[in-house]
Amino acid sequence: MVPFVLLGAIAVLALVAWFLVLVLGIGTSRATAWNWAAGRPASEVIPQVALLFLVGLACAAVVLLSLYTTALGFKQTQPRGFWAICEALAGGLLIAVAAGAITARADLLRLGVDVADFIVVAGLLAYAMIVFDMRRRSEASLRIARKEQP
C-alpha cells in the first residue's frame, strides 16, 4: 500500500502545483491564466485552456485513483488479479519511463528533467513492482492454504 500512498502524495503535490503555477502563475513571469487569455484570439486561448483543465483533471484523477487503490489494498482480501494488474501497470510505466529517458532525453533536459529524476522514478516503480509481486504471492499462498482454486 505504500506505493499507492506515495502516488497519492505526489499527485496532491502535482495538483497544488498545477493550481499555483499554471492557474495563478505564482513563481513564473506569467500572470494568472485569465490575465494571459485576455485580449488573445479565441483560436489561441481555447486549446490552451483545454490543456490547462486536462492537466488539472489528470492530477485529480490520479489522486482519486490512489485513494481508491489504497482503500482496496488495505482490505483483508482484494479482487482476483488486483495485484497482478498493479504490477503490470507499474512495469508498463517503468518501460515508458525508460523509453522516454532514451528517446526524448534532449527534449526532457531542455524542460529541466535530469537523469537523476528518471533514476528516482524508475526506482520507485521498481519498488512498487516488488511490493505488488510480494502481495500477489502472499495472496496466492493464502488461497492454497484455504484450498481455493487459483
Side-chain angles (χ1 to χ4, degrees):
M1 286 52 55
V2 172
F4 299 138
V5 174
L6 187 58
L7 176 67
I10 292 170
V12 167
L13 289 173
L15 191 61
V16 170
W18 166 81
F19 182 72
L20 292 176
V21 176
L22 295 179
V23 176
L24 298 180
I26 296 175
T28 65
S29 60
R30 297 178 309 163
T32 60
W34 52 90
N35 286 340
W36 173 86
R40 294 184 187 264
S43 62
E44 183 180 350
V45 171
I46 291 173
Q48 293 299 317
V49 169
L51 184 61
L52 178 70
F53 282 115
L54 184 65
V55 169
L57 283 174
C59 292
V62 172
V63 169
L64 293 174
L65 182 65
S66 71
L67 287 172
Y68 173 73
T69 54
T70 300
L72 198 57
F74 275 118
K75 282 185 168 181
Q76 186 71 19
T77 59
Q78 291 78 28
R80 283 187 194 268
F82 174 75
W83 296 113
I85 291 169
C86 292
E87 188 178 1
L89 287 173
L93 285 173
L94 183 58
I95 291 169
V97 165
I102 293 168
T103 59
R105 185 168 182 215
D107 295 330
L108 293 170
L109 285 173
R110 239 187 338 270
L111 292 173
V113 180
D114 196 7
V115 174
D117 298 327
F118 282 108
I119 292 171
V120 169
V121 171
L124 290 173
L125 287 170
Y127 167 72
M129 286 181 65
I130 291 168
V131 170
F132 298 152
D133 187 58
M134 288 172 37
R135 288 300 305 257
R136 181 180 55 82
R137 289 172 184 242
S138 68
E139 187 177 277
S141 300
L142 289 173
R143 276 200 206 106
I144 291 171
R146 290 183 289 208
K147 304 213 189 284
E148 293 179 13
Q149 292 295 325

